[in-house]
Amino acid sequence: MADSTRSTIVIDAPAGEVLDVIADLESYPEWIKEMKQVEILTEDGDGWPDRATFTLDAGAIKDTYTLDYEWEIEEDGLGRASWSLVEATILKAMDGSYTLSDAGEGRTEVVYDLVVDVNVPMLGMIKRKAAKVITDSALRDLKKRCEA
C-alpha cells in the first residue's frame, strides 16, 4: 500500500525564482544529498522537462527511476509541477507535486505532496519515515538553494 506525505514551507523568494530551481532537474544532485544523478530524457517545446531519470539513495529507498512531468504553471511561476512514476526497480509509486502560491512580500509558499510505494516488503512505518525524510529534506534544501 502506498504511503503519502505532505509538507509545506515558505521561501523568501518570488515564485518564478523558486520554479526555476524546481525545473532545473539536472542540478538536483548539487543541493539534494539523496539525489545522486539526474538525466533529462525529453523536454516539451518550451524547454520544460517532460521525462527524466533519477538515481536516489534515501537510506531505506535506493533506486533508479523515470518520471513524467506536468507543468501547470502561470507566467509568474505560480501553479503546480507534478510528476508520476514511469518505471523503476524498487519503487512501485513515486508520484508527487510542488504547488507554489503567493505568500506575500515576495515570498512563496511551497506545498510538497508525495506518494511512495515499493515493490519489496518493507514495514509501513519505515516506508512512511522514508517518504517524510524525502519531503522534509527536499523542502529544506529547496529553501536553502532559493535563498542563497
Side-chain angles (χ1 to χ4, degrees):
M1 182 171 149
D3 286 290
S4 64
T5 185
R6 169 180 275 195
S7 292
T8 303
I9 200 164
V10 174
I11 297 175
D12 291 326
E17 291 177 19
V18 175
L19 180 63
D20 287 345
V21 172
I22 291 169
D24 186 7
L25 303 180
E26 290 175 314
S27 293
Y28 281 19
E30 295 173 15
W31 57 276
I32 301 173
K33 71 177 185 173
E34 296 85 7
M35 192 62 57
K36 303 307 176 193
Q37 183 178 352
V38 179
E39 179 186 0
I40 306 281
L41 302 176
T42 61
E43 294 180 344
D44 71 10
D46 293 333
W48 296 99
D50 273 340
R51 182 171 280 192
T53 297
F54 298 80
T55 301
L56 176 76
D57 183 348
I61 300 176
K62 297 176 183 168
D63 203 355
T64 297
Y65 56 92
T66 301
L67 301 178
D68 274 347
Y69 278 83
E70 286 192 37
W71 303 90
E72 301 165 38
I73 303 293
E74 305 200 10
E75 281 188 37
D76 58 6
L78 299 175
R80 187 169 181 255
S82 59
W83 57 89
S84 57
L85 184 67
V86 175
E87 63 182 342
T89 305
I90 294 172
L91 293 166
K92 188 166 29 174
M94 177 66 112
D95 303 339
S97 66
Y98 286 106
T99 303
L100 285 66
S101 58
D102 187 355
E105 301 176 7
R107 300 176 310 144
T108 305
E109 180 184 73
V110 181
V111 177
Y112 186 20
D113 288 295
L114 185 65
V115 175
V116 177
D117 199 4
V118 291
N119 283 317
V120 295
M122 183 181 289
L123 290 174
M125 175 180 69
I126 294 172
K127 222 179 351 177
R128 284 188 296 280
K129 182 174 169 76
K132 186 71 172 152
V133 166
I134 291 168
T135 57
D136 288 349
S137 64
L139 285 179
R140 182 186 63 243
D141 295 344
L142 176 63
K143 181 176 177 72
K144 277 189 210 173
R145 180 79 171 197
C146 292
E147 293 179 357

